[in-house]
Amino acid sequence: MSKNFMTAVKERRTRYALSKESTISDAQIEEIVKQAAEYAPTAFNSQGGRIVLLLGEQHDKLWDMTMETLRKIVPAENFAPTKEKINSFRNGYGTVLFFEDQSVVKGLQEKFGLYAENFPIWSLESSGLLQYIVWTALDEAGLGASLQHYNPLIDAEVQKTWNIPSDWKLLGQMPFGKPTAPAAEKQYLTLDNRVKIFK
């Protein structure tokens, strides 16, 4: 990475205006995803995060599928904003799908009964870390992204289309591409009531 870590953290933003271009090669995108999956921290070193990377026609297929799923439940007279939003994701270069393998969670619950109720929570925390690593690395490479949650509406279709194991639980979709507009301004709350320091 060419930036220092905190600069990358500060500059990562949600970006909706994307194009079907990439600032890096597919091989570099694949490397980002693979390294994130390998090195993201997980509770008990469980490594339950799973990723599916969709590029080209496969990326388009996901958002076409999502559009048709939403068309069935959003009233026609209110569908225009939904269509615009889904098209903004489809306009991107690719999508990263994030899953957590529930068989890993169940195995840990069985093995460490004392912490059984915590493993689903820790699994979500691990997924958040994985998502953040991918997002920040894509941003550092000049790609814009956002994190979407059309699960569970699209879960069955995703599982069927890409032959996803039944134990993989879909948690988020990250469309990405070359940004075509700056990120929106973001307001930050004061840290006075958000961070406490004791010495």
Side-chain angles (χ1 to χ4, degrees):
M1 295 177 77
S2 58
K3 299 176 185 174
N4 70 52
F5 178 70
M6 288 311 297
T7 299
V9 168
K10 291 174 185 176
E11 292 183 358
R12 183 223 49 87
R13 298 290 301 283
T14 294
R15 297 181 189 272
Y16 295 112
L18 307 173
S19 73
K20 284 196 177 299
E21 297 176 281
S22 179
T23 55
I24 57 176
S25 69
D26 288 357
Q28 289 171 300
I29 296 170
E30 292 170 26
E31 191 61 23
I32 285 172
V33 166
K34 287 177 180 177
Q35 288 193 11
E38 185 169 7
Y39 296 112
T42 58
F44 286 63
N45 195 30
S46 54
Q47 301 177 52
R50 304 290 182 263
I51 290 178
V52 172
L53 175 61
L54 302 176
L55 300 172
E57 293 179 2
Q58 300 301 312
H59 158 81
D60 292 345
K61 186 184 292 186
L62 172 75
W63 295 108
D64 290 343
M65 168 195 312
T66 304
M67 182 89 76
E68 293 315 306
T69 299
L70 293 171
R71 196 184 302 278
K72 295 172 186 173
I73 59 175
V74 177
E77 62 272 18
N78 300 331
F79 194 68
T82 298
K83 182 177 180 180
E84 183 178 351
K85 180 180 277 190
I86 298 302
N87 279 335
S88 74
F89 307 142
R90 192 184 190 280
N91 288 340
Y93 185 80
T95 300
V96 183
L97 301 180
F98 294 94
F99 301 81
E100 280 286 307
D101 189 336
Q102 299 307 293
S103 68
V104 173
V105 175
K106 291 171 188 171
L108 288 167
Q109 289 176 311
E110 292 168 4
K111 188 173 181 179
F112 303 101
L114 183 63
Y115 306 111
E117 66 183 26
N118 291 321
F119 283 113
I121 298 168
W122 293 339
S123 172
L124 293 176
E125 291 174 349
S126 297
S127 184
L129 290 165
L130 176 58
Q131 293 165 25
Y132 187 74
I133 291 168
V134 171
W135 196 347
T136 305
L138 290 174
D139 189 271
E140 196 276 337
L143 291 165
S146 67
L147 186 61
Q148 304 303 316
H149 301 93
Y150 288 97
N151 43 293
L153 294 173
I154 61 172
D155 287 15
E157 196 68 25
V158 166
Q159 185 178 1
K160 176 183 170 186
T161 302
W162 289 286
N163 196 28
I164 305 298
S166 59
D167 286 331
W168 291 21
K169 182 177 181 180
L170 181 61
L171 296 180
Q173 308 85 50
M174 185 176 289
F176 65 88
K178 186 176 179 182
T180 59
E185 287 296 319
K186 183 175 181 178
Q187 301 298 316
Y188 294 92
L189 298 174
T190 177
L191 295 176
D192 293 348
N193 297 315
R194 298 173 64 200
V195 178
K196 293 186 182 296
I197 298 171
F198 302 91
K199 295 184 180 180

